[in-house]
Amino acid sequence: MPLQNHLTELERKHRALEREIQDTLNRPSSDDMRLAELKRKKLQLKDEITRLRTSESVVH
């Protein structure tokens, strides 16, 4: 998979997690453990996106 396609897919997943986090926060009985897991996954995706963008700019 070309790098740009991979980045696009990671960004899509990141946005989907952000929506899911917001949905969870808007529920009266939000699960704190679930919310923490979603935030952890979102941060991992952000770190991966940043790492790939940095490595891409070094190559160019």
Side-chain angles (χ1 to χ4, degrees):
M1 173 185 298
L3 181 59
Q4 189 56 45
N5 291 350
H6 186 59
L7 277 168
T8 300
E9 181 63 19
L10 290 175
E11 290 167 344
R12 185 195 63 76
K13 289 179 181 180
H14 187 267
R15 286 189 304 273
L17 279 171
E18 178 60 33
R19 284 190 301 272
E20 192 171 349
I21 288 168
Q22 289 305 315
D23 290 346
T24 300
L25 286 171
N26 290 332
R27 280 188 231 127
S29 61
S30 64
D31 179 1
D32 290 340
M33 293 293 284
R34 174 76 177 141
L35 190 57
E37 178 67 17
L38 291 171
K39 287 182 176 183
R40 185 185 64 76
K41 286 180 182 180
K42 182 182 168 203
L43 183 57
Q44 286 177 331
L45 282 172
K46 181 181 177 189
D47 289 345
E48 179 70 6
I49 291 167
T50 301
R51 185 184 67 75
L52 289 172
R53 282 194 178 138
T54 301
S55 68
E56 181 181 41
S57 67
V58 169
V59 170
H60 289 107

